[in-house]
Amino acid sequence: IMTQKDLKSSSAQPYVFLGLFTAFAALMLANPVLPPLARKLGISEIETGIIISVSALMLTIVSPLWGSLSERIGRKKVFVTGIFGLAIGMALFAGAAHLGLNNIVWGQNLLILLIGTRLIVGLMIAAVPVSAQAYMADITDADNRSAGMAVIGAANGLGTLIGPAIGALLVTFGLLMPF
């Protein structure tokens, strides 16, 4: 006999999986695109590394803050905010790169814009896994918690694997298409 918690857990898990998968695939779309985009923008390898790394750094720094916020305002609100914020950050990055490709902004100003938008990406993606993990812990009992956390790990892993492949396919339509 399934309890109310079992029903909640089994019906919510596909949404948690899909949200996490989408977020991490979107984040990883940039990996095959950034090196050729950086060359076109005249950005050095070190600067490209910084642009890539600031997202991971921001994710590391703000994850505990998002976790605390999910305790106060709720897991779903933080999860959805993170996904929408990630989309906004990716769009802002594409906009900044577009300005650079069209020689509207260049040099240090362009680099600052690109780093700033990747900071936004890192800030917002950080909300997604912490709220998902907390939510999964909330909706699973001790006997099913490992399986629930495995759903999160699978979503993260598949997004990390499939995201760059999708990015590589989308780049055939233009350098900014993956964003």
Side-chain angles (χ1 to χ4, degrees), residues 100-123:
L101 290 171
N102 289 295
N103 295 314
I104 297 168
V105 178
W106 59 88
Q108 290 302 110
N109 291 333
L110 176 61
L111 184 60
I112 290 167
L113 273 176
L114 294 172
I115 290 171
T117 57
R118 288 294 288 183
L119 281 169
I120 293 168
V121 167
L123 172 69

Side-chain angles (χ1 to χ4, degrees), residues 23-135:
F24 278 97
L27 182 66
M28 301 312 280
L29 284 171
N31 286 354
V33 179
L34 279 175
L37 178 61
R39 279 191 294 277
K40 241 184 159 96
L41 293 171
I43 296 172
S44 74
E45 287 81 9
I46 291 173
E47 292 166 336
T48 304
I50 292 169
I51 291 168
I52 293 169
S53 298
V54 295
S55 287
L57 178 63
M58 186 58 69
L59 186 149
T60 303
I61 292 169
V62 301
S63 287
L65 301 173
W66 281 115
S68 294
L69 190 60
S70 79
E71 290 289 332
R72 287 196 312 271
I73 69 168
R75 310 326 185 181
K76 292 177 192 177
K77 288 179 185 174
V78 170
F79 187 78
V80 171
T81 298
I83 290 174
F84 279 110
L86 172 63
I88 290 167
M90 295 291 275
L92 290 172
F93 182 85
H98 176 76
L99 293 174
L101 290 171
N102 289 295
N103 295 314
I104 297 168
V105 178
W106 59 88
Q108 290 302 110
N109 291 333
L110 176 61
L111 184 60
I112 290 167
L113 273 176
L114 294 172
I115 290 171
T117 57
R118 288 294 288 183
L119 281 169
I120 293 168
V121 167
L123 172 69
M124 300 313 293
I125 187 78
V128 178
V130 297
S131 58
Q133 289 169 345
Y135 184 68

Side-chain angles (χ1 to χ4, degrees), residues 1-13 75 134-145 149:
I1 297 175
M2 291 186 80
T3 66
Q4 189 67 20
K5 193 170 188 177
D6 293 332
L7 290 172
K8 187 176 182 184
S9 171
S10 63
S11 65
Q13 285 186 9
R75 310 326 185 181
Y135 184 68
M136 193 63 75
D138 291 345
I139 64 171
T140 54
D141 58 22
D143 293 337
N144 296 307
R145 189 141 310 123
M149 294 302 166

